[in-house]
Every structure is written in C-alpha cells, then in structure tokens.
Amino acid sequence: MHEIDSTLEISDGKFHRLLGPEALPAFGDTGELEATWGRRWGAADEVGRLRSVLMRRPSQGLANVRANTYNEELGALVDPELRWYWTGRDTPDLDLLNAQYDDFVTTLTRNDVEVVFAPELPATFTKSVYTRDPLITIPGGAIIGRLAPRMRRGEEQSITATVAAAGMPILGTVTGSGLAEGGSFQKVRPDTAFFGTSVRCNPEGYRQLARILEEFGITLKRVTLPGYLIHLDMCAVMLDDDLALVNPRLAPYDYMAQLWDLGIETIEVDPREEWACNMLALDRRKVIMPDHFPRTAEILSDRHDVEVLPVAYREMLKNGGSVHCSTMELQRDWS
C-alpha cells in the first residue's frame, strides 16, 4: 500500500481556500456577465436599444400547402394532418414571402441589429419562423418555454442549442405540463412583467415562469386573454417606458387597468387595423411596423412622436404571425 502524503492534502485544502469561493458579484451583475459570458445578455424591457435578435427563415414546408384544403368555417387552408394552416384561399406566394422576410432582415441590419439565425428544421415545422414563442429573455439570459401545439413541439430543443451556441446563458426551462410561449410574455418594468394565459399558455406555465422570475426580482402578473386569442402581443405592445399601443377590443381590461396604474399611457389602434399591435421596437419610440397598417402608423407618428419604419410583411401574416412574432430579442441595452 502507498502512504498518503498528508502534506499534499493540507496544501490542496489551502489552495481551495485561496482560490474561492467568490459568490459576489452576483451572476446578473453587468460586469460579471461581460467578463464571464461576453456581453450583457437579455433585456429588462421591450423598448431599450435593440442590439441582437433571434430569427429563423421561413420553412420550406410551406411549399406543401395545398389549395384543395380550404376550410370554409376557418377561412384557411388547413392540413388534414394538422402540420400547417394558411389563412385565405390562396396558397403561399413563396417568392413574395421570402422577399418580404429578407427586406425585414435588411431593415434590422441597417439599424445595427445583429441577427442570429436558428437552423432550418424539417419541413413539418411550418411555424418555426416565429422565434418569439419558444423562449423569453430577461436580464442575464433566456428561459426556454414549452410550445402548446403538437406541430411546434420540438422547436424548443433547436432554439436552446442556438441560443447556447451564441453564448447566452439559459436561466431556466418550463417543464412538466406547463405551456408557456414568448408571444404572451411582456416586460413593462425591470421588476414587472405580464403573462397572458390562453388557449396556448396555461396556468401551470404561468406558475413555473413566475417561480423562475421571482429569483431574478421580477413579479409576473397574470391576465386571461379572451376567446381563442393566443398571445398578448396580438393585442398590445410597449412603445416607450410610459407608452403602449393596445387593441381595446381584444386586450383584457384588467391588463390595461394595470398599465394605467403603472403610469403607462395607452394608445388605441385604428379599429380598421385589428392586428396593428404586432410590431417591433428598435428603441424608445422607434418601431418597425408592417406597412399595411397606415392609419395606426399615422396615429403613432403624428400624435405621439413615434418613428415608424414600414416594411412589407403581409404575406407572412397569412401564416399566423407578424414582425414581433418573427423575432426574439437576445440583447437590448439595460443597466
């Protein structure tokens, strides 16, 4: 038997004491994030200067949408096997769709926004262009959600790998029977966020998110979306720390009332432009907005000093989402 060098054991212990532990500064300290993770990942709100977004190009599977699947009741082309739907009677104009998407990306890069692309998925993932949904971001990193419809289940793994490969910390994951999608999550204050439960986001998803966010000093307020409205970003968007655009015919009253209690002024969309809220803030009072909502754009620019950068995006909207849905902020300026 070999004798143990007791001197070495004592020496090793002293080295461990000398080298650590160093619990402070804490993980979320900006200097600590920059030194350990390369940058100040995440976002404290949805209106700070946008630095980096997550996107994925439109699915090749949209070429499989067939004209003989029109459902009169739903007003859409619907796959009998539920792998896709496309609103209206006409099949996708893929050349137009991709051209409009590329123009949107160009608008982002011209405004000095880094675009991180998730890889293409199999053709069955026809909604994977909507990178808003599989995750949320807060100061310090990302929380991975859990998507509700079977046609989208599995995007979470790809998004997790993409975000992690970019260097962003993963702060938590919704598990079990929880359903939580980023389109129904909205940051309004560094310490306050809203989550709309719906046909796509259940109370268990809210409970898990609220528990994770509590560790980061963020209170998550739950509101219930009406009918089959799937996400909060379909009826509301923040434009500045004290300004939001809402569709009062869809937004829950208790949500709007809580915005008012926080001192946030609400602007109403033009009633003829039901889905005008789905836009992306580049900075405070500077937004990218689909160009087929000109009346609401005029309200924003003329009455509220909001700079509107219009992009053509109508073809993508037929797939079920717009510019906000097609992006997830990986980094906004925060302190």
Side-chain angles (χ1 to χ4, degrees):
M1 295 179 62
H2 297 288
E3 292 186 6
I4 297 173
D5 189 336
S6 58
T7 305
L8 181 61
E9 282 192 83
I10 295 171
S11 177
D12 282 348
K14 289 180 179 179
F15 275 122
H16 291 312
R17 180 178 179 183
L18 177 66
L19 296 175
E22 294 185 21
L24 298 176
F27 176 90
D29 176 83
T30 55
E32 186 79 357
L33 272 174
E34 290 173 344
T36 306
W37 294 91
R39 65 170 86 174
R40 298 184 188 186
W41 288 105
D45 53 45
E46 298 187 11
V47 296
R49 174 72 169 85
L50 185 60
R51 300 294 179 181
S52 180
V53 294
L54 176 68
M55 301 184 72
R56 196 194 308 265
R57 296 192 180 280
S59 171
Q60 298 290 330
L62 292 173
N64 298 324
V65 176
R66 303 188 304 276
N68 64 352
T69 60
Y70 185 72
N71 184 306
E72 192 78 38
E73 181 181 358
L74 299 178
L77 304 171
V78 182
D79 180 20
E81 297 181 10
L82 302 181
R83 294 168 301 187
W84 44 257
Y85 68 82
W86 186 264
T87 57
R89 292 180 178 274
D90 298 328
T91 57
D93 183 334
L94 296 180
D95 289 339
L96 178 61
L97 178 76
N98 286 297
Q100 291 182 346
Y101 185 86
D102 289 343
D103 286 347
F104 177 34
V105 173
T106 298
T107 301
L108 286 165
T109 57
R110 282 178 178 169
N111 282 273
D112 299 320
V113 178
E114 172 193 37
V115 179
V116 176
F117 282 104
E120 185 177 344
L121 291 175
T124 53
F125 288 94
T126 55
K127 308 298 179 184
S128 61
V129 66
Y130 300 129
T131 53
R132 175 70 45 172
D133 297 334
L135 74 167
I136 70 169
T137 59
I138 62 172
I143 299 169
I144 306 300
R146 185 166 180 260
L147 297 165
R150 178 56 57 185
M151 71 164 73
R152 300 199 64 181
R153 192 70 55 74
E155 291 179 35
E156 301 95 334
Q157 191 276 341
S158 169
I159 290 296
T160 303
T162 302
V163 168
M168 189 177 200
I170 305 296
L171 306 177
T173 303
V174 173
T175 61
S177 60
L179 299 173
E181 300 184 350
S184 222
F185 177 80
Q186 183 184 77
K187 301 179 284 284
V188 298
R189 292 284 184 269
D191 63 353
T192 306
F194 285 93
F195 184 72
T197 51
S198 67
V199 67
R200 292 274 289 268
C201 298
N202 66 5
E204 174 59 16
Y206 163 77
R207 186 194 68 79
Q208 292 188 36
L209 274 183
R211 177 182 53 80
I212 296 170
L213 292 173
E214 184 180 11
E215 295 296 323
F216 296 90
I218 300 170
T219 298
L220 186 63
K221 296 177 178 290
R222 176 186 168 188
V223 294
T224 303
L225 300 183
Y228 293 111
L229 187 69
I230 62 174
H231 293 147
L232 189 57
D233 70 356
M234 299 177 74
C235 63
V237 62
M238 293 297 294
L239 303 170
D240 201 340
D241 297 310
D242 59 356
L243 189 67
L245 179 69
V246 300
N247 181 341
R249 289 159 293 283
L250 296 174
Y253 177 79
D254 59 344
Y255 162 77
M256 294 189 292
Q258 290 182 79
L259 291 184
W260 300 330
D261 288 343
L262 289 168
I264 297 171
E265 177 188 359
T266 56
I267 310 167
E268 297 185 5
V269 300
D270 185 283
R272 293 162 290 184
E273 298 178 346
E274 195 84 335
W275 306 113
C277 285
N278 203 280
M279 63 183 69
L280 179 68
L282 292 173
D283 207 339
R284 287 170 174 81
R285 303 198 186 218
K286 181 178 181 180
V287 301
I288 298 177
M289 181 178 181
D291 65 0
H292 57 281
F293 301 122
R295 300 177 185 89
T296 302
E298 186 176 359
I299 292 170
L300 295 179
S301 59
D302 292 357
R303 304 182 198 174
H304 298 279
D305 197 29
V306 175
E307 181 182 356
V308 177
L309 305 182
V311 294
Y313 215 64
R314 195 163 201 157
E315 193 68 9
M316 182 64 75
L317 187 60
K318 299 174 186 177
N319 196 32
S322 194
V323 297
H324 192 262
C325 305
S326 302
T327 58
M328 171 52 79
E329 60 259 20
L330 299 183
Q331 185 183 9
R332 290 186 184 271
D333 286 354
W334 58 277
S335 58

